[in-house]
Amino acid sequence: MSRESLQAKAVRLKKIIAALDRTYPEAHCELDYAGPLQLLIATILSAQCTDKRVNIVTTDLFKKYRSAVDYANAPLAELEQAVKSTGFFRNKAKNIQACCRKLVELHAGNVPRTMEELTQLDGVGRKTANVVLGNAFGINVGVVVDTHIARLSQRLGLTKQKTPEKIELELMALVPQKQWTLFSHWLIWHGRRRCAARRPDCEGCEIKQNCPRIGVKIAEKTSNIEL
Ligand code: SF4
């Protein structure tokens, strides 16, 4: 089969999206939060940590610290203890405090709604900003690219790029903007439930007919797509 044209890729992606929508109609951010500040804190904590662990930690954290001022004024050692089990706790506590001090100084304690303002906060890169904008504010500025999304985008032949920044740009060009946030959820849910890093369940996969399984080493192929 010849190289897939951009048009053919768009048609295939449409089918993938329809199947993911059917499979995960309830897909959503799996971090527990109420409001933008809690989501911002939870997303900072989720680096190199499972959502499940973050949710355990934030159950108490969010009861103790209720505003940006609370985080800004907390003794750093106390904050470190509170987030310790999420890993990299010194760095995360330092970033959360510095981030909240900027929220207090520059934004009256509120979480800003633009990519530019968010990425100026400590510990906040494009990924975290996309999570907050898409889920807390319903603003689609970009596509979240975490390890699941990077892996699936490559296996699905949607990108050959390796860095999150370049993968995001290619996905933004392919996926309709109104679906950017949902698309991230679909791929994360599929990555967690079906397309695991080591042993993807290709046989039981709901999108196998439209997946070229790039880089997946399994004897039997279920698709003839060649990229
Ligand atoms: S067919 Fe396999 S590689 Fe492709 S999305 Fe499904 S589980 Fe992942």
Side-chain angles (χ1 to χ4, degrees):
M1 186 184 276
S2 59
R3 204 178 156 81
E4 185 181 43
S5 69
L6 215 67
Q7 198 186 4
K9 191 187 274 186
V11 171
R12 189 166 63 83
L13 178 60
K14 220 170 169 179
K15 290 180 189 164
I16 291 171
I17 286 176
L20 289 172
D21 191 15
R22 273 195 306 276
T23 309
Y24 308 114
E26 74 287 20
H28 58 269
C29 175
E30 292 187 278
L31 292 168
D32 295 336
Y33 68 95
L37 179 66
Q38 287 191 2
L39 182 56
L40 178 60
I41 303 295
T43 310
I44 292 173
L45 292 175
S46 72
Q48 311 286 320
C49 183
T50 63
D51 286 0
K52 208 171 156 190
R53 166 57 44 196
V54 173
N55 290 339
I56 291 169
V57 167
T58 55
T59 302
D60 290 334
L61 188 77
F62 293 160
K63 281 183 197 147
K64 191 166 183 185
Y65 305 98
R66 294 182 173 271
S67 67
V69 174
D70 291 345
Y71 292 103
N73 293 338
L76 188 56
E78 187 185 289
L79 202 50
E80 286 175 353
Q81 279 308 308
V83 302
K84 193 167 185 178
S85 68
T86 66
F88 303 98
F89 64 98
R90 288 192 214 287
N91 215 23
K92 287 179 182 176
K94 184 165 67 73
N95 279 335
I96 287 171
Q97 184 151 78
C99 169
C100 286
R101 283 180 178 166
K102 273 194 193 151
L103 289 182
V104 173
E105 284 162 23
L106 305 175
H107 304 286
N110 298 312
V111 177
R113 292 169 174 249
T114 68
M115 175 62 74
E116 293 68 30
E117 290 169 308
L118 277 165
T119 50
Q120 279 167 21
L121 300 170
D122 300 70
V124 181
R126 263 197 84 87
K127 191 192 102 183
T128 298
N130 275 327
V131 170
V132 172
L133 289 168
N135 294 285
F137 297 126
I139 301 170
N140 287 310
V141 171
V143 179
V144 172
V145 179
D146 71 354
T147 54
H148 295 293
I149 295 165
R151 181 176 74 253
L152 265 82
S153 306
Q154 286 156 354
R155 286 180 174 174
L156 286 164
L158 301 178
T159 183
K160 289 180 179 167
Q161 299 295 340
K162 303 278 186 251
T163 66
E165 297 76 21
K166 288 182 179 170
I167 292 171
E168 184 185 357
L169 281 178
E170 295 211 346
L171 292 179
M172 285 165 74
L174 280 171
V175 179
Q177 184 171 4
K178 64 174 191 241
Q179 289 180 314
W180 284 352
T181 301
L182 252 181
F183 186 73
S184 315
H185 295 324
W186 286 327
L187 288 199
I188 291 170
W189 279 47
H190 198 59
R192 286 179 177 154
R193 290 157 181 79
R194 194 69 81 191
C195 190
R198 293 207 178 157
R199 284 181 165 265
D201 175 16
C202 296
E203 274 313 300
C205 179
E206 295 81 356
I207 53 176
K208 65 183 174 192
Q209 298 305 336
N210 288 293
C211 178
R213 298 162 62 184
I214 305 291
V216 177
K217 291 186 185 67
I218 298 177
E220 190 195 339
K221 277 192 106 180
T222 50
S223 162
N224 291 322
I225 300 161
E226 204 170 282
L227 301 168

